[in-house]
Amino acid sequence: MSELSISELSKELRGAIESLETKGNLDEVGIVLRVGDGVAWIHGLRSAGYSEVIEIETEDGITEAFALNLLEDEIGAVLLGEDSTVKAGQTVRLKGSVLSVPVGPELLGRVVNPLGQPLDGGPAIKTKQQGLVERNAPGVMDRKSVHEPLMTGIVAIDAMFPIGRGQRELIIGDRQTGKTAIAIDTMINQAKQDTGVINVYVAIGQKSSKVARLVERLKQEGVMEQTIIVATSPSDPASLLYLAPYAATAMGEYFRDNSKHALMIYDDLTKHAVAYRQMSLLLRRPPGREAYPGDVFYLHSRLLERSAKLSDALGAGSLTALPIIETQAGDISAYIPTNVISITDGQIFLETDLFYQGIRPAISAGLSVSRVGGAAQTGAVKSVSSHLKLGLSQFRELASFTQFGSDLDDATKKQIERGQRLTELLKQHQYQPMAIWQQVVSIASVTNGYFDGVAVAKIKDAQSATLSKIWKDHKKDMETLETGAKPTEEILKTIETVAKAAAKGFEA
C-alpha cells in the first residue's frame, strides 16, 4: 500500500498492517481495511486468484467471500452473506480453493440456494462431488452439432421455432407476458413425454411466494422428482444473485458430463445483470452504457457458452439453455437484450399486444427465430409445418393492412380466414403441453384446409373432437407418429378422414 493510504488509516489498523508486513506472510494472509454494502477491501493476500474463496475471521466464526477485484495494493472481495459481523482489522486467509457447489443426483427434487444449502426445510444435502461455479465451456472439438429435438409441448414453438438439445433459445418479452409459463410448460413436457431430461430452474431475485407456487405446481404435475430449483429472493445479497446462474449451470453440467440431458432455465438474466452492475459499482469499476460495467457481455457469454451438445467421445450428453430476458415496452434493441440475443441461437419474442388480444402464448411469428431450425425438428412435425411460419406472418401483415378495407379479393379473404383458424389453433392453455401426434394432427387439420368450414370460435372444439376420435380408433398409427417418424400416406389419409368428419359437427 502507498504511504498516504496507510497514514489515513486508524492507529490500530496501521499497527495490524505493520505487524503483518513484519511477519512477511502477506501472500496467504491479509487484513480487512474497510467493509460496506457487501464488499470487503483487503490488504495482503498477494497470491489470491480471481474467484478464489477467502475466509474472514469474525467474532461469530468464519465468514466467506470471493475475490473479484485484484488491484495492486488491495483486493475487493464480495461477501457470501451478511456484512454485519465483518469489521476493519479482522484477519483474512485464503481457503485454497475457488468457488464450488455440491452437484449430483442427490439434489433432484430439492430447492437450494446458490451455495447448495437447502431452502425447502428438508435434510442437509450431502453429495459425492463438487462442481466449479466458474468453468471453461467445451471447445469446438468437444461438441457435436445440435440435432436431437427437445420438445416443449407448445405447438407454436415445436412447429415454427424448434429447440434442439444443446441449443440456447432466448425467451424475451415485457413483464407479465407469459415468459416463465413457456419455461414451466417445457419442464412439465419432459416428464409427461418421459424424455429423461433433468430440469434445473434458477430463480434470480424472484419473490419467494412465486417460487413456492412453482414448486407446488411441479409436484402436482409429477415433475419435481427430476427437477432442481436454485432460488434467490430480492432480499438476498447481490453476490448470491450473481452466483445463482453459474452455480445452477454447474449442477446441470454434472448430468451433461455423465451422458445425460439437462434443461437450464434462467429466470431472468435481466435481474442477474442488475445484480452484477450493483457489485461492479460498489467495487468502483468504471460504468459504461446504462451504468453497466464494460464486461457485462462476457458475464452472460461465458455462462451461456457452457450449454452444449457434447461429442460421442465425451458421452453425447447435452445441456440446453432457455434464458429469459425482460424488456421495457417491447424494446429488444436495449443494451442487455441485444447482448443476449447475439449470444443465443434464436429467440422467442412475446408481444404484449397479442397477449392482451387473448392469443396465448403470445409468440410473434415475425420477430421470433430458431437458428438451429429444422435440424432439431422431428420428421413428423416438420412434414406438416413447413409453411406454417410464413403463412402466419403473412396473415398478421394482411390483417393489419385490411382492417380498414372491406373490398377484398377471394384469395386474400381465404388467406385471412385460414390465418384466423391457425391463430385460434395455436392458442394453448398453460400446463397442457401436447404430444407429438396431437401436434401433427392439429396442424395438418388446419393447414390442409380440413377445418375451413369450421367457425373460428369452434376451432378448439373441432380440434378436441378430432384428437379424441383419432386416438380412440387409430391408436397404433398415433403411437407410430409419437416416435417422431415422418407420417406415411396412409396415416395422412386417416387424419384427413377423421378431421373432415369431426369438422362437420362444427361448421359455421
Side-chain angles (χ1 to χ4, degrees):
M1 289 186 72
S2 66
E3 287 300 318
L4 179 65
S5 57
I6 284 183
S7 65
E8 288 173 347
L9 300 171
S10 68
K11 193 175 178 182
E12 293 85 357
L13 210 49
R14 273 185 295 179
I17 290 170
E18 283 161 12
S19 162
L20 207 60
E21 287 176 343
T22 307
K23 289 174 186 171
N25 59 345
L26 281 172
D27 283 357
E28 302 294 328
V29 184
I31 196 159
V32 177
L33 297 176
R34 58 192 182 280
V35 65
D37 297 312
V39 173
W41 296 92
I42 297 161
H43 175 63
L45 300 183
R46 286 174 183 156
S47 63
Y50 181 79
S51 202
E52 191 166 352
V53 181
I54 292 163
E55 296 181 327
I56 303 170
E57 296 171 5
T58 69
E59 292 166 6
D60 297 344
I62 298 291
T63 296
E64 290 193 344
F66 60 98
L68 212 59
N69 258 30
L70 303 175
L71 304 176
E72 194 176 348
D73 54 5
E74 63 182 359
I75 283 174
V78 178
L79 298 169
L80 293 169
E82 295 300 319
D83 60 6
S84 53
T85 58
V86 181
K87 294 180 175 64
Q90 289 172 341
T91 306
V92 186
R93 298 180 196 281
L94 290 178
K95 191 177 182 181
S97 63
V98 290
L99 275 169
S100 61
V101 289
V103 298
E106 298 87 351
L107 288 159
L108 290 172
R110 302 299 301 271
V111 182
V112 296
N113 72 4
L115 303 175
Q117 298 157 345
L119 297 174
D120 52 10
I125 299 166
K126 290 177 183 172
T127 61
K128 293 172 186 166
Q129 272 183 267
Q130 293 274 319
L132 292 178
V133 168
E134 293 272 7
R135 184 177 159 195
N136 286 345
V140 175
M141 299 308 291
D142 296 334
R143 295 173 183 248
K144 194 176 181 181
S145 62
V146 175
H147 64 281
E148 297 171 317
L150 183 125
M151 302 299 289
T152 65
I154 299 165
V155 184
I157 295 174
D158 291 338
M160 295 190 286
F161 319 105
I163 298 170
R165 290 180 181 177
Q167 190 175 342
R168 300 151 305 174
E169 183 81 359
L170 173 64
I171 303 171
I172 184 167
D174 287 2
R175 65 186 301 272
Q176 298 296 322
T177 50
K179 300 185 296 298
T180 305
I182 285 178
I184 293 169
D185 282 358
T186 305
M187 290 163 70
I188 291 170
N189 196 52
Q190 305 318 307
K192 281 199 170 175
Q193 305 305 321
D194 197 22
T195 58
V197 174
I198 302 298
N199 304 307
V200 185
Y201 176 89
V202 200
I204 306 167
Q206 302 285 350
K207 289 179 188 170
S208 300
S209 57
K210 182 183 174 182
V211 177
R213 281 198 306 273
L214 168 68
V215 172
E216 205 52 49
R217 189 74 211 198
L218 293 180
K219 282 179 180 172
Q220 274 180 41
E221 302 287 345
V223 190
M224 201 59 203
E225 294 79 33
Q226 61 185 67
T227 301
I228 301 169
I229 292 180
V230 181
T232 56
S233 71
S235 60
D236 284 331
S239 55
L240 287 186
L241 270 65
Y242 161 75
L243 285 177
Y246 293 102
T249 304
M251 294 169 190
E253 280 175 329
Y254 169 85
F255 299 100
R256 181 199 72 189
D257 297 341
N258 284 282
S259 305
K260 293 180 182 170
H261 305 282
L263 169 67
M264 288 292 322
I265 291 156
Y266 303 103
D267 192 6
D268 65 70
L269 291 186
T270 313
K271 290 188 180 73
H272 184 232
V274 168
Y276 186 60
R277 175 170 65 184
Q278 181 185 328
M279 281 170 43
S280 297
L281 292 172
L282 290 169
L283 288 164
R284 299 181 186 171
R285 293 183 177 178
R289 181 176 163 189
E290 292 181 27
Y292 287 105
D295 64 343
V296 76
F297 180 90
Y298 181 55
L299 171 80
H300 289 148
S301 65
R302 74 177 190 264
L303 171 70
L304 294 170
E305 283 296 327
R306 289 161 73 175
S307 297
K309 167 70 183 167
L310 294 186
S311 64
D312 292 339
L314 291 175
S318 72
L319 184 64
T320 310
L322 292 181
I324 295 173
I325 287 284
E326 188 179 290
T327 53
Q328 305 286 332
D331 182 14
I332 56 171
S333 61
Y335 189 27
I336 300 301
T338 48
N339 275 355
V340 183
I341 284 171
S342 62
I343 296 163
T344 49
D345 310 311
Q347 72 271 351
I348 294 160
F349 180 62
L350 302 178
E351 282 191 77
T352 312
D353 289 350
L354 293 177
F355 186 83
Y356 289 124
Q357 285 169 31
I359 300 167
R360 299 172 191 176
I363 297 169
S364 164
L367 290 172
S368 302
V369 66
S370 171
R371 296 189 189 102
V372 172
Q377 199 169 22
T378 59
V381 177
K382 197 175 187 176
S383 65
V384 294
S385 63
S386 52
H387 304 298
L388 196 62
K389 188 182 176 192
L390 181 64
L392 200 60
S393 299
Q394 285 176 339
F395 157 67
R396 289 197 181 149
E397 284 294 312
L398 278 172
S400 60
F401 274 119
T402 58
Q403 60 184 328
F404 303 113
S406 54
D407 297 331
L408 301 174
D409 60 272
D410 289 342
T412 308
K413 266 185 189 169
K414 192 175 178 185
Q415 198 170 356
I416 286 176
E417 284 170 8
R418 178 76 59 84
Q420 287 171 336
R421 287 172 174 80
L422 195 53
T423 301
E424 196 63 30
L425 179 90
L426 293 177
K427 289 180 184 176
Q428 201 169 332
H429 291 297
Q430 198 179 349
Y431 312 126
Q432 292 178 13
M434 293 176 79
I436 295 172
W437 71 268
Q438 292 173 318
Q439 295 188 26
V440 174
V441 172
S442 302
I443 295 165
S445 300
V446 172
T447 53
N448 294 334
Y450 309 151
F451 284 0
D452 278 1
V454 178
V456 174
K458 298 280 186 184
I459 286 290
K460 296 305 280 185
D461 296 333
Q463 179 192 15
S464 298
T466 304
L467 294 177
S468 300
K469 180 75 174 160
I470 206 164
W471 181 254
K472 187 181 171 189
D473 298 346
H474 306 277
K475 190 174 178 180
K476 207 160 196 174
D477 287 342
M478 294 306 104
E479 284 171 347
T480 306
L481 267 187
E482 190 58 27
T483 62
K486 192 176 176 181
T488 60
E489 286 298 323
E490 191 185 330
I491 291 176
L492 289 173
K493 193 73 190 159
T494 302
I495 294 171
E496 182 180 355
T497 308
V498 175
K500 281 181 175 176
K504 280 180 181 168
F506 302 96
E507 284 180 354

